[in-house]
Amino acid sequence: MPAYDKSDLERRMTGAVEALKGDLGGLRTGRASTALLDPVTVEVYGSHMPLNQVATVSVPEPRMLSVQVWDKSNVGPVEKAIRSAGLGLNPINDGTTLRLPIPDLTEERRKDLAKLAGSYSEKAKIAARNVRRDGMDALKTDEKKNVFGEDERKRHEGELQKLTDKTIGEIDAAAGAKEKEILGK
């Protein structure tokens, strides 16, 4: 069986782009988004749980998040978790609901977020290059095992390079769009 599997490499490169989009979705741009609270974990019932397993997060207006806590006894821990998540959000407690006004971003905070978006995109590019390297290694292994000849290996390497270039283009486009959104340009 050949070691080179083009569909697996495509799946892994698509995974790198999807992971980047997920990371970028969590960056705050001054507009409310439920993805903003995805990294928040709450200590309830003696364990750490993702916020979405103890409350419903919604966006009632463009600059406001609403967190409806299901069990009234968890409102305090949820509020504490949001405050300590380092998102710069200050919950307003309405009993079982927490309202989170999204403050304006300062210029300095915008630049920090743009840098963070850049570092996320660099991680995704590294992941894509690692997939390409794995594919190239598999092609060389297959050639040594006489699965196919040098010409076919070179053709596959060209396809793999095109796939890598396309993936890195998608990564740059996603990161560029997010940086523009963050910097408000």
Side-chain angles (χ1 to χ4, degrees), residues 82-144:
I82 293 170
R83 280 187 203 281
S84 61
L87 298 170
L89 298 175
N90 217 356
I92 301 165
N93 191 335
D94 289 349
T96 57
T97 305
L98 296 172
R99 290 183 304 128
L100 306 166
I102 308 293
D104 281 329
L105 293 174
T106 63
E107 192 58 35
E108 187 179 331
R109 181 75 178 132
R110 286 179 189 276
K111 286 180 181 161
D112 289 346
L113 288 172
K115 277 184 197 164
L116 191 56
S119 75
Y120 286 165
S121 87
E122 195 50 45
K123 269 192 233 164
K125 286 179 189 177
I126 289 168
R129 289 184 193 117
N130 286 341
V131 172
R132 179 187 61 194
R133 187 196 61 225
D134 292 348
M136 294 293 190
D137 291 347
L139 285 170
K140 287 177 182 134
T141 302
D142 283 351
E143 187 186 11
K144 282 181 187 148

Side-chain angles (χ1 to χ4, degrees), residues 10-25 124 167 170-171 174:
E10 286 174 345
R11 182 189 55 75
R12 288 171 56 198
M13 286 208 186
T14 303
V17 174
E18 292 306 313
L20 170 69
K21 287 179 180 172
D23 288 344
L24 292 176
T167 302
E170 288 175 17
I171 290 169

Side-chain angles (χ1 to χ4, degrees), residues 31-70:
R31 283 201 308 272
S33 161
T34 57
L36 187 58
L37 296 177
D38 285 350
V40 177
T41 57
V42 185
E43 193 171 339
V44 287
Y45 311 121
S47 67
H48 288 276
M49 298 174 81
L51 179 63
N52 61 12
Q53 290 184 7
V54 294
T56 304
V57 180
S58 61
V59 183
E61 44 192 274
R63 300 186 59 94
M64 176 79 68
L65 284 173
S66 172
V67 180
Q68 181 78 41
V69 183
W70 301 325

